[in-house]
Short mmCIF file of all heavy atoms in Angstrom, two decimals:
data_model
loop_
_atom_site.label_atom_id
_atom_site.label_comp_id
_atom_site.label_asym_id
_atom_site.label_seq_id
_atom_site.Cartn_x
_atom_site.Cartn_y
_atom_site.Cartn_z
N MET A 236 -23.68 13.26 -4.58
CA MET A 236 -23.65 11.83 -4.72
C MET A 236 -23.53 11.18 -3.35
O MET A 236 -22.66 11.62 -2.57
CB MET A 236 -22.52 11.41 -5.67
CG MET A 236 -22.41 9.91 -5.82
SD MET A 236 -21.09 9.42 -6.89
CE MET A 236 -21.94 9.34 -8.45
N ARG A 237 -24.29 10.18 -3.07
CA ARG A 237 -24.22 9.47 -1.80
C ARG A 237 -23.07 8.49 -1.77
O ARG A 237 -22.74 7.85 -2.77
CB ARG A 237 -25.50 8.68 -1.56
CG ARG A 237 -26.62 9.55 -1.04
CD ARG A 237 -27.84 8.74 -0.74
NE ARG A 237 -27.46 7.44 -0.11
CZ ARG A 237 -28.35 6.48 0.11
NH1 ARG A 237 -29.57 6.62 -0.23
NH2 ARG A 237 -27.96 5.33 0.64
N GLU A 238 -22.48 8.34 -0.59
CA GLU A 238 -21.48 7.30 -0.39
C GLU A 238 -22.19 5.95 -0.30
O GLU A 238 -23.32 5.89 0.21
CB GLU A 238 -20.72 7.52 0.93
CG GLU A 238 -19.82 8.76 0.91
CD GLU A 238 -18.63 8.52 0.02
OE1 GLU A 238 -18.05 7.43 0.05
OE2 GLU A 238 -18.25 9.49 -0.69
N PRO A 239 -21.54 4.89 -0.83
CA PRO A 239 -22.18 3.60 -0.70
C PRO A 239 -22.31 3.18 0.79
O PRO A 239 -21.44 3.52 1.59
CB PRO A 239 -21.23 2.62 -1.42
CG PRO A 239 -20.00 3.43 -1.69
CD PRO A 239 -20.34 4.89 -1.51
N THR A 240 -23.38 2.56 1.11
CA THR A 240 -23.61 2.09 2.48
C THR A 240 -22.66 0.95 2.79
O THR A 240 -22.59 -0.01 1.98
CB THR A 240 -25.03 1.61 2.67
OG1 THR A 240 -25.93 2.67 2.28
CG2 THR A 240 -25.30 1.17 4.10
N PRO A 241 -21.84 1.04 3.86
CA PRO A 241 -20.92 -0.04 4.17
C PRO A 241 -21.65 -1.34 4.38
O PRO A 241 -22.74 -1.38 5.00
CB PRO A 241 -20.22 0.40 5.49
CG PRO A 241 -20.54 1.84 5.62
CD PRO A 241 -21.80 2.11 4.85
N SER A 242 -21.04 -2.40 3.86
CA SER A 242 -21.62 -3.71 4.07
C SER A 242 -21.45 -4.10 5.52
O SER A 242 -20.47 -3.91 6.12
CB SER A 242 -20.90 -4.72 3.17
OG SER A 242 -21.27 -6.03 3.49
N PRO A 243 -22.52 -4.72 6.15
CA PRO A 243 -22.40 -5.13 7.53
C PRO A 243 -21.37 -6.26 7.70
O PRO A 243 -20.82 -6.43 8.76
CB PRO A 243 -23.78 -5.61 7.89
CG PRO A 243 -24.48 -5.89 6.60
CD PRO A 243 -23.85 -4.99 5.55
N THR A 244 -21.13 -7.03 6.64
CA THR A 244 -20.10 -8.06 6.72
C THR A 244 -19.08 -7.77 5.58
O THR A 244 -19.49 -7.64 4.44
CB THR A 244 -20.68 -9.46 6.53
OG1 THR A 244 -21.54 -9.48 5.42
CG2 THR A 244 -21.46 -9.90 7.79
N PRO A 245 -17.81 -7.75 5.96
CA PRO A 245 -16.83 -7.50 4.90
C PRO A 245 -16.81 -8.57 3.84
O PRO A 245 -17.07 -9.72 4.11
CB PRO A 245 -15.50 -7.52 5.68
CG PRO A 245 -15.89 -7.42 7.12
CD PRO A 245 -17.23 -7.93 7.27
N THR A 246 -16.47 -8.18 2.64
CA THR A 246 -16.25 -9.10 1.57
C THR A 246 -14.77 -9.01 1.18
O THR A 246 -14.12 -7.98 1.35
CB THR A 246 -17.11 -8.84 0.34
OG1 THR A 246 -16.87 -7.48 -0.12
CG2 THR A 246 -18.59 -8.97 0.68
N VAL A 247 -14.24 -10.13 0.70
CA VAL A 247 -12.82 -10.20 0.40
C VAL A 247 -12.65 -10.61 -1.06
O VAL A 247 -13.32 -11.51 -1.55
CB VAL A 247 -12.15 -11.28 1.29
CG1 VAL A 247 -10.68 -11.43 0.94
CG2 VAL A 247 -12.32 -10.91 2.78
N VAL A 248 -11.73 -9.89 -1.75
CA VAL A 248 -11.37 -10.22 -3.11
C VAL A 248 -9.84 -10.35 -3.20
O VAL A 248 -9.13 -9.45 -2.81
CB VAL A 248 -11.83 -9.13 -4.11
CG1 VAL A 248 -11.37 -9.48 -5.50
CG2 VAL A 248 -13.34 -8.97 -4.06
N MET A 249 -9.35 -11.52 -3.59
CA MET A 249 -7.92 -11.73 -3.75
C MET A 249 -7.55 -11.36 -5.15
O MET A 249 -8.01 -11.98 -6.12
CB MET A 249 -7.59 -13.20 -3.47
CG MET A 249 -8.07 -13.72 -2.12
SD MET A 249 -7.38 -12.82 -0.72
CE MET A 249 -5.92 -13.72 -0.46
N CYS A 250 -6.66 -10.37 -5.31
CA CYS A 250 -6.20 -9.93 -6.62
C CYS A 250 -4.97 -10.77 -7.00
O CYS A 250 -3.99 -10.74 -6.29
CB CYS A 250 -5.83 -8.46 -6.59
SG CYS A 250 -7.24 -7.38 -6.18
N PRO A 251 -5.02 -11.44 -8.14
CA PRO A 251 -3.90 -12.27 -8.54
C PRO A 251 -2.63 -11.38 -8.67
O PRO A 251 -2.66 -10.37 -9.35
CB PRO A 251 -4.31 -12.81 -9.90
CG PRO A 251 -5.82 -12.76 -9.90
CD PRO A 251 -6.16 -11.57 -9.06
N GLY A 252 -1.57 -11.73 -7.99
CA GLY A 252 -0.33 -11.01 -8.03
C GLY A 252 -0.37 -9.66 -7.28
O GLY A 252 0.58 -8.92 -7.37
N GLY A 253 -1.46 -9.42 -6.54
CA GLY A 253 -1.58 -8.11 -5.87
C GLY A 253 -2.23 -8.23 -4.52
O GLY A 253 -2.16 -9.28 -3.85
N PRO A 254 -2.87 -7.17 -4.09
CA PRO A 254 -3.41 -7.14 -2.73
C PRO A 254 -4.69 -7.93 -2.53
O PRO A 254 -5.27 -8.46 -3.46
CB PRO A 254 -3.67 -5.64 -2.56
CG PRO A 254 -4.03 -5.14 -3.90
CD PRO A 254 -3.15 -5.93 -4.88
N MET A 255 -5.13 -7.95 -1.31
CA MET A 255 -6.40 -8.50 -0.92
C MET A 255 -7.33 -7.28 -0.69
O MET A 255 -7.00 -6.38 0.10
CB MET A 255 -6.29 -9.28 0.37
CG MET A 255 -7.58 -9.71 0.94
SD MET A 255 -7.39 -10.78 2.40
CE MET A 255 -6.63 -9.64 3.54
N LEU A 256 -8.42 -7.23 -1.42
CA LEU A 256 -9.35 -6.10 -1.25
C LEU A 256 -10.40 -6.44 -0.25
O LEU A 256 -11.00 -7.54 -0.33
CB LEU A 256 -10.01 -5.78 -2.64
CG LEU A 256 -9.08 -5.37 -3.74
CD1 LEU A 256 -9.89 -5.08 -5.01
CD2 LEU A 256 -8.19 -4.18 -3.39
N LEU A 257 -10.63 -5.55 0.68
CA LEU A 257 -11.70 -5.74 1.70
C LEU A 257 -12.72 -4.65 1.52
O LEU A 257 -12.37 -3.48 1.49
CB LEU A 257 -11.06 -5.63 3.10
CG LEU A 257 -9.94 -6.59 3.48
CD1 LEU A 257 -9.38 -6.24 4.87
CD2 LEU A 257 -10.42 -7.98 3.42
N ARG A 258 -13.95 -5.10 1.42
CA ARG A 258 -15.06 -4.15 1.31
C ARG A 258 -15.87 -4.24 2.58
O ARG A 258 -16.15 -5.32 3.08
CB ARG A 258 -15.95 -4.49 0.10
CG ARG A 258 -15.30 -4.24 -1.20
CD ARG A 258 -16.30 -4.39 -2.33
NE ARG A 258 -15.71 -4.02 -3.62
CZ ARG A 258 -15.10 -4.92 -4.42
NH1 ARG A 258 -15.13 -6.23 -4.13
NH2 ARG A 258 -14.58 -4.53 -5.53
N GLY A 259 -16.21 -3.06 3.11
CA GLY A 259 -16.97 -3.05 4.34
C GLY A 259 -16.09 -2.59 5.49
O GLY A 259 -14.88 -2.50 5.38
N LYS A 260 -16.73 -2.31 6.62
CA LYS A 260 -16.01 -1.84 7.82
C LYS A 260 -15.38 -3.03 8.51
O LYS A 260 -16.03 -4.00 8.76
CB LYS A 260 -17.01 -1.10 8.74
CG LYS A 260 -16.37 -0.43 9.94
CD LYS A 260 -17.42 0.34 10.69
CE LYS A 260 -16.88 0.95 11.98
NZ LYS A 260 -15.74 1.86 11.76
N HIS A 261 -14.07 -2.87 8.80
CA HIS A 261 -13.36 -3.94 9.45
C HIS A 261 -12.08 -3.44 10.05
O HIS A 261 -11.68 -2.31 9.86
CB HIS A 261 -13.12 -5.09 8.46
CG HIS A 261 -12.56 -4.59 7.16
ND1 HIS A 261 -13.41 -4.22 6.12
CD2 HIS A 261 -11.31 -4.31 6.74
CE1 HIS A 261 -12.67 -3.80 5.11
NE2 HIS A 261 -11.39 -3.82 5.48
N VAL A 262 -11.42 -4.28 10.82
CA VAL A 262 -10.13 -3.98 11.46
C VAL A 262 -9.15 -5.02 11.00
O VAL A 262 -9.44 -6.22 11.03
CB VAL A 262 -10.31 -3.96 12.99
CG1 VAL A 262 -8.91 -3.75 13.64
CG2 VAL A 262 -11.28 -2.91 13.44
N VAL A 263 -7.98 -4.58 10.61
CA VAL A 263 -6.90 -5.48 10.18
C VAL A 263 -5.86 -5.50 11.29
O VAL A 263 -5.40 -4.46 11.73
CB VAL A 263 -6.28 -4.97 8.85
CG1 VAL A 263 -5.07 -5.81 8.48
CG2 VAL A 263 -7.32 -5.03 7.74
N GLU A 264 -5.44 -6.68 11.69
CA GLU A 264 -4.36 -6.84 12.69
C GLU A 264 -3.10 -7.20 11.98
O GLU A 264 -3.07 -8.19 11.22
CB GLU A 264 -4.76 -7.95 13.70
CG GLU A 264 -3.70 -8.08 14.78
CD GLU A 264 -4.10 -9.11 15.85
OE1 GLU A 264 -5.35 -9.41 15.99
OE2 GLU A 264 -3.23 -9.60 16.52
N ASP A 265 -2.04 -6.41 12.17
CA ASP A 265 -0.76 -6.68 11.48
C ASP A 265 0.04 -7.75 12.24
O ASP A 265 -0.38 -8.22 13.25
CB ASP A 265 0.03 -5.39 11.21
CG ASP A 265 0.51 -4.74 12.51
OD1 ASP A 265 0.64 -5.41 13.51
OD2 ASP A 265 0.77 -3.51 12.44
N ALA A 266 1.22 -8.07 11.69
CA ALA A 266 2.02 -9.12 12.22
C ALA A 266 2.47 -8.82 13.66
O ALA A 266 2.82 -9.78 14.40
CB ALA A 266 3.25 -9.37 11.35
N ASP A 267 2.51 -7.54 14.02
CA ASP A 267 2.92 -7.16 15.39
C ASP A 267 1.76 -7.06 16.36
O ASP A 267 1.93 -6.66 17.51
CB ASP A 267 3.69 -5.85 15.33
CG ASP A 267 4.97 -5.96 14.57
OD1 ASP A 267 5.65 -7.01 14.64
OD2 ASP A 267 5.34 -4.99 13.84
N GLY A 268 0.56 -7.36 15.86
CA GLY A 268 -0.61 -7.28 16.72
C GLY A 268 -1.28 -5.90 16.76
O GLY A 268 -2.20 -5.72 17.53
N ASN A 269 -0.78 -4.98 15.95
CA ASN A 269 -1.39 -3.64 15.90
C ASN A 269 -2.68 -3.70 15.09
O ASN A 269 -2.72 -4.38 14.07
CB ASN A 269 -0.42 -2.63 15.26
CG ASN A 269 0.87 -2.52 16.05
OD1 ASN A 269 0.87 -2.34 17.25
ND2 ASN A 269 1.99 -2.60 15.33
N LEU A 270 -3.68 -2.99 15.55
CA LEU A 270 -4.97 -2.95 14.87
C LEU A 270 -5.09 -1.73 13.99
O LEU A 270 -4.70 -0.61 14.41
CB LEU A 270 -6.11 -3.00 15.89
CG LEU A 270 -6.11 -4.18 16.84
CD1 LEU A 270 -7.24 -4.08 17.82
CD2 LEU A 270 -6.16 -5.49 16.06
N HIS A 271 -5.57 -1.92 12.75
CA HIS A 271 -5.72 -0.84 11.76
C HIS A 271 -7.18 -0.85 11.31
O HIS A 271 -7.58 -1.78 10.63
CB HIS A 271 -4.81 -1.05 10.59
CG HIS A 271 -3.35 -1.18 10.96
ND1 HIS A 271 -2.52 -0.10 10.99
CD2 HIS A 271 -2.63 -2.24 11.36
CE1 HIS A 271 -1.33 -0.49 11.35
NE2 HIS A 271 -1.38 -1.80 11.59
N GLU A 272 -7.90 0.18 11.72
CA GLU A 272 -9.30 0.27 11.30
C GLU A 272 -9.36 0.84 9.91
O GLU A 272 -8.65 1.81 9.57
CB GLU A 272 -10.08 1.15 12.26
CG GLU A 272 -11.58 1.12 12.02
CD GLU A 272 -12.36 1.79 13.12
OE1 GLU A 272 -11.79 2.12 14.17
OE2 GLU A 272 -13.57 1.98 12.95
N THR A 273 -10.21 0.30 9.10
CA THR A 273 -10.35 0.81 7.71
C THR A 273 -11.08 2.17 7.75
O THR A 273 -11.93 2.38 8.58
CB THR A 273 -11.10 -0.15 6.82
OG1 THR A 273 -12.33 -0.42 7.40
CG2 THR A 273 -10.32 -1.45 6.68
N ARG A 274 -10.75 3.01 6.80
CA ARG A 274 -11.41 4.33 6.70
C ARG A 274 -12.01 4.56 5.32
O ARG A 274 -12.56 5.60 5.06
CB ARG A 274 -10.38 5.41 6.97
CG ARG A 274 -9.84 5.37 8.39
CD ARG A 274 -9.01 6.58 8.72
NE ARG A 274 -8.68 6.63 10.12
CZ ARG A 274 -7.57 6.12 10.63
NH1 ARG A 274 -6.70 5.54 9.85
NH2 ARG A 274 -7.31 6.21 11.95
N ARG A 275 -11.88 3.58 4.47
CA ARG A 275 -12.40 3.68 3.09
C ARG A 275 -13.42 2.59 2.84
O ARG A 275 -13.35 1.52 3.47
CB ARG A 275 -11.26 3.55 2.10
CG ARG A 275 -10.19 4.59 2.25
CD ARG A 275 -9.07 4.34 1.28
NE ARG A 275 -8.05 5.34 1.38
CZ ARG A 275 -7.00 5.40 0.61
NH1 ARG A 275 -6.85 4.48 -0.31
NH2 ARG A 275 -6.13 6.35 0.76
N PRO A 276 -14.29 2.80 1.86
CA PRO A 276 -15.23 1.75 1.52
C PRO A 276 -14.54 0.45 1.01
O PRO A 276 -15.00 -0.66 1.26
CB PRO A 276 -16.07 2.31 0.39
CG PRO A 276 -15.90 3.78 0.51
CD PRO A 276 -14.53 4.02 1.11
N VAL A 277 -13.38 0.63 0.36
CA VAL A 277 -12.56 -0.54 -0.08
C VAL A 277 -11.13 -0.30 0.37
O VAL A 277 -10.60 0.79 0.10
CB VAL A 277 -12.63 -0.68 -1.61
CG1 VAL A 277 -11.74 -1.86 -2.06
CG2 VAL A 277 -14.05 -0.87 -2.07
N SER A 278 -10.57 -1.30 1.03
CA SER A 278 -9.15 -1.19 1.44
C SER A 278 -8.36 -2.31 0.78
O SER A 278 -8.83 -3.43 0.56
CB SER A 278 -9.04 -1.37 2.98
OG SER A 278 -9.80 -0.33 3.63
N ALA A 279 -7.09 -2.01 0.46
CA ALA A 279 -6.20 -3.01 -0.16
C ALA A 279 -5.10 -3.36 0.83
O ALA A 279 -4.34 -2.54 1.24
CB ALA A 279 -5.58 -2.41 -1.44
N VAL A 280 -5.13 -4.63 1.22
CA VAL A 280 -4.14 -5.16 2.15
C VAL A 280 -3.02 -5.80 1.39
O VAL A 280 -3.24 -6.65 0.54
CB VAL A 280 -4.79 -6.19 3.13
CG1 VAL A 280 -3.73 -6.75 4.07
CG2 VAL A 280 -5.94 -5.52 3.89
N CYS A 281 -1.77 -5.40 1.70
CA CYS A 281 -0.60 -5.91 1.02
C CYS A 281 -0.42 -7.40 1.29
O CYS A 281 -0.53 -7.86 2.41
CB CYS A 281 0.67 -5.18 1.53
SG CYS A 281 2.20 -5.79 0.84
N ARG A 282 -0.16 -8.13 0.21
CA ARG A 282 0.12 -9.57 0.38
C ARG A 282 1.57 -9.90 -0.06
O ARG A 282 1.99 -11.03 0.09
CB ARG A 282 -0.85 -10.39 -0.49
CG ARG A 282 -2.23 -10.36 0.00
CD ARG A 282 -3.12 -11.42 -0.61
NE ARG A 282 -3.12 -11.37 -2.05
CZ ARG A 282 -3.03 -12.49 -2.82
NH1 ARG A 282 -2.92 -13.67 -2.28
NH2 ARG A 282 -3.05 -12.35 -4.15
N CYS A 283 2.26 -8.89 -0.64
CA CYS A 283 3.63 -9.20 -1.10
C CYS A 283 4.71 -8.94 -0.02
O CYS A 283 5.81 -9.42 -0.12
CB CYS A 283 3.98 -8.42 -2.33
SG CYS A 283 4.25 -6.62 -2.06
N GLY A 284 4.30 -8.19 0.99
CA GLY A 284 5.22 -7.86 2.07
C GLY A 284 6.22 -6.73 1.79
O GLY A 284 7.05 -6.44 2.60
N LYS A 285 6.09 -6.08 0.64
CA LYS A 285 7.06 -5.08 0.27
C LYS A 285 6.52 -3.63 0.36
O LYS A 285 7.28 -2.68 0.17
CB LYS A 285 7.50 -5.32 -1.18
CG LYS A 285 8.06 -6.68 -1.47
CD LYS A 285 9.35 -6.91 -0.70
CE LYS A 285 9.97 -8.26 -1.12
NZ LYS A 285 11.06 -8.61 -0.25
N SER A 286 5.29 -3.44 0.70
CA SER A 286 4.71 -2.12 0.81
C SER A 286 5.36 -1.33 1.90
O SER A 286 5.65 -1.83 3.02
CB SER A 286 3.21 -2.21 1.07
OG SER A 286 2.66 -0.92 1.33
N ALA A 287 5.57 -0.01 1.71
CA ALA A 287 6.11 0.86 2.73
C ALA A 287 5.01 1.35 3.66
O ALA A 287 5.28 2.06 4.61
CB ALA A 287 6.80 2.04 2.09
N LEU A 288 3.76 0.99 3.33
CA LEU A 288 2.60 1.43 4.13
C LEU A 288 1.89 0.28 4.80
O LEU A 288 0.65 0.30 4.95
CB LEU A 288 1.58 2.18 3.20
CG LEU A 288 2.11 3.40 2.46
CD1 LEU A 288 1.03 3.90 1.45
CD2 LEU A 288 2.45 4.47 3.43
N GLN A 289 2.63 -0.72 5.21
CA GLN A 289 2.02 -1.90 5.79
C GLN A 289 1.01 -1.50 6.89
O GLN A 289 1.24 -0.56 7.62
CB GLN A 289 3.14 -2.79 6.46
CG GLN A 289 4.05 -3.40 5.45
CD GLN A 289 3.40 -4.48 4.61
OE1 GLN A 289 2.35 -5.06 5.00
NE2 GLN A 289 3.96 -4.73 3.49
N PRO A 290 -0.14 -2.16 6.94
CA PRO A 290 -0.49 -3.35 6.19
C PRO A 290 -1.12 -3.07 4.85
O PRO A 290 -1.58 -4.00 4.17
CB PRO A 290 -1.51 -4.05 7.15
CG PRO A 290 -2.21 -2.88 7.78
CD PRO A 290 -1.16 -1.81 7.96
N TRP A 291 -1.11 -1.83 4.40
CA TRP A 291 -1.85 -1.47 3.20
C TRP A 291 -0.96 -1.60 1.96
O TRP A 291 0.28 -1.36 2.05
CB TRP A 291 -2.43 -0.04 3.28
CG TRP A 291 -3.11 0.21 4.56
CD1 TRP A 291 -2.79 1.14 5.52
CD2 TRP A 291 -4.27 -0.47 5.08
NE1 TRP A 291 -3.67 1.05 6.56
CE2 TRP A 291 -4.60 0.09 6.35
CE3 TRP A 291 -5.08 -1.52 4.65
CZ2 TRP A 291 -5.65 -0.35 7.10
CZ3 TRP A 291 -6.09 -1.95 5.41
CH2 TRP A 291 -6.43 -1.38 6.62
N CYS A 292 -1.54 -1.87 0.85
CA CYS A 292 -0.84 -1.95 -0.43
C CYS A 292 -0.52 -0.56 -0.90
O CYS A 292 -1.37 0.32 -0.87
CB CYS A 292 -1.71 -2.69 -1.44
SG CYS A 292 -1.11 -2.62 -3.12
N ASP A 293 0.74 -0.35 -1.35
CA ASP A 293 1.12 0.96 -1.92
C ASP A 293 1.44 0.81 -3.42
O ASP A 293 1.97 1.76 -4.03
CB ASP A 293 2.25 1.61 -1.16
CG ASP A 293 3.57 0.82 -1.31
OD1 ASP A 293 3.57 -0.25 -1.97
OD2 ASP A 293 4.60 1.32 -0.75
N GLY A 294 1.16 -0.30 -4.02
CA GLY A 294 1.43 -0.55 -5.44
C GLY A 294 2.77 -1.13 -5.77
O GLY A 294 3.05 -1.41 -6.94
N THR A 295 3.62 -1.32 -4.75
CA THR A 295 4.97 -1.86 -5.00
C THR A 295 4.93 -3.20 -5.69
O THR A 295 5.84 -3.53 -6.48
CB THR A 295 5.71 -1.94 -3.65
OG1 THR A 295 5.87 -0.66 -3.10
CG2 THR A 295 7.12 -2.51 -3.85
N HIS A 296 3.91 -3.98 -5.44
CA HIS A 296 3.83 -5.32 -6.06
C HIS A 296 3.92 -5.26 -7.60
O HIS A 296 4.37 -6.20 -8.20
CB HIS A 296 2.54 -6.06 -5.63
CG HIS A 296 1.31 -5.41 -6.11
ND1 HIS A 296 0.62 -4.43 -5.39
CD2 HIS A 296 0.62 -5.56 -7.26
CE1 HIS A 296 -0.42 -3.98 -6.11
NE2 HIS A 296 -0.46 -4.68 -7.22
N LYS A 297 3.51 -4.13 -8.14
CA LYS A 297 3.50 -3.98 -9.62
C LYS A 297 4.92 -3.98 -10.21
O LYS A 297 5.10 -4.30 -11.39
CB LYS A 297 2.78 -2.74 -10.04
CG LYS A 297 1.33 -2.71 -9.66
CD LYS A 297 0.70 -1.38 -9.97
CE LYS A 297 -0.71 -1.28 -9.46
NZ LYS A 297 -1.25 0.08 -9.60
N VAL A 298 5.93 -3.62 -9.40
CA VAL A 298 7.31 -3.56 -9.97
C VAL A 298 8.12 -4.78 -9.53
O VAL A 298 9.29 -4.87 -9.88
CB VAL A 298 8.01 -2.25 -9.50
CG1 VAL A 298 7.27 -1.04 -10.03
CG2 VAL A 298 8.17 -2.17 -8.00
N LEU A 299 7.51 -5.69 -8.80
CA LEU A 299 8.25 -6.89 -8.39
C LEU A 299 8.31 -7.90 -9.54
O LEU A 299 7.37 -7.98 -10.36
CB LEU A 299 7.54 -7.57 -7.21
CG LEU A 299 7.48 -6.73 -5.94
CD1 LEU A 299 6.64 -7.49 -4.87
CD2 LEU A 299 8.87 -6.45 -5.39
N PRO A 300 9.37 -8.70 -9.59
CA PRO A 300 9.43 -9.79 -10.54
C PRO A 300 8.22 -10.71 -10.27
O PRO A 300 7.78 -10.86 -9.10
CB PRO A 300 10.73 -10.51 -10.23
CG PRO A 300 11.51 -9.56 -9.43
CD PRO A 300 10.59 -8.66 -8.75
N GLU A 301 7.71 -11.35 -11.29
CA GLU A 301 6.51 -12.19 -11.15
C GLU A 301 6.67 -13.24 -10.08
O GLU A 301 5.74 -13.57 -9.34
CB GLU A 301 6.17 -12.85 -12.51
CG GLU A 301 4.77 -13.39 -12.48
CD GLU A 301 4.25 -13.68 -13.87
OE1 GLU A 301 4.67 -12.98 -14.84
OE2 GLU A 301 3.47 -14.60 -14.02
N ARG A 302 7.88 -13.81 -9.93
CA ARG A 302 8.11 -14.83 -8.93
C ARG A 302 7.94 -14.35 -7.50
O ARG A 302 7.74 -15.15 -6.58
CB ARG A 302 9.51 -15.49 -9.12
CG ARG A 302 10.61 -14.58 -8.74
CD ARG A 302 11.97 -15.30 -8.83
NE ARG A 302 13.04 -14.44 -8.40
CZ ARG A 302 13.63 -13.49 -9.13
NH1 ARG A 302 13.28 -13.35 -10.39
NH2 ARG A 302 14.59 -12.71 -8.67
N ASP A 303 8.04 -13.05 -7.25
CA ASP A 303 7.96 -12.48 -5.91
C ASP A 303 6.59 -11.93 -5.62
O ASP A 303 6.36 -11.37 -4.54
CB ASP A 303 8.99 -11.36 -5.74
CG ASP A 303 10.39 -11.91 -5.72
OD1 ASP A 303 10.60 -13.11 -5.48
OD2 ASP A 303 11.33 -11.11 -5.99
N ARG A 304 5.63 -11.99 -6.58
CA ARG A 304 4.29 -11.46 -6.37
C ARG A 304 3.45 -12.52 -5.63
O ARG A 304 3.73 -13.71 -5.79
CB ARG A 304 3.62 -11.15 -7.70
CG ARG A 304 4.35 -9.93 -8.38
CD ARG A 304 3.64 -9.61 -9.68
NE ARG A 304 4.46 -8.70 -10.42
CZ ARG A 304 4.20 -8.29 -11.67
NH1 ARG A 304 3.16 -8.82 -12.31
NH2 ARG A 304 4.98 -7.43 -12.26
N PRO A 305 2.51 -12.07 -4.87
CA PRO A 305 1.68 -13.04 -4.14
C PRO A 305 0.76 -13.80 -5.07
O PRO A 305 0.46 -13.44 -6.14
CB PRO A 305 0.87 -12.14 -3.19
CG PRO A 305 0.93 -10.78 -3.76
CD PRO A 305 2.16 -10.69 -4.60
S1 LIG B 489 0.44 -6.28 -2.54
FE1 LIG B 489 0.59 -4.28 -3.26
S2 LIG B 489 2.40 -3.57 -2.34
FE2 LIG B 489 2.20 -5.55 -1.58
#
């Protein structure tokens, strides 16, 4: 099976109460100015601030009270 061809321009999907999904090749700059290159066709960027794998979502948002979700 072939891997999907990366999109030349990233697309963004905001998940209600969860991460921001990025499709396509891109670089994410974290709050400290560190650059993180994506390695997957789809990457999930944490929006709740609670992930242990910043800047990536690790699913922690699912156990947060609704008021603390993005
Ligand atoms: S959005 Fe998923 S852990 Fe923060």
Side-chain angles (χ1 to χ4, degrees):
M236 177 180 269
R237 279 185 38 189
E238 291 289 320
T240 304
S242 171
T244 49
T246 58
V247 177
V248 176
M249 305 300 273
C250 298
M255 173 176 64
L256 302 181
L257 301 176
R258 291 189 176 95
K260 186 174 175 59
H261 45 270
V262 176
V263 174
E264 182 175 341
D265 67 22
D267 296 324
N269 300 310
L270 300 178
H271 303 267
E272 190 170 350
T273 58
R274 295 189 171 92
R275 299 177 178 183
V277 179
S278 299
V280 178
C281 176
R282 292 194 305 136
C283 73
K285 304 296 185 190
S286 172
L288 301 174
Q289 294 290 339
W291 313 118
C292 170
D293 67 358
T295 299
H296 65 271
K297 296 175 187 171
V298 299
L299 296 175
E301 195 164 330
R302 70 175 184 277
D303 293 339
R304 294 181 190 171

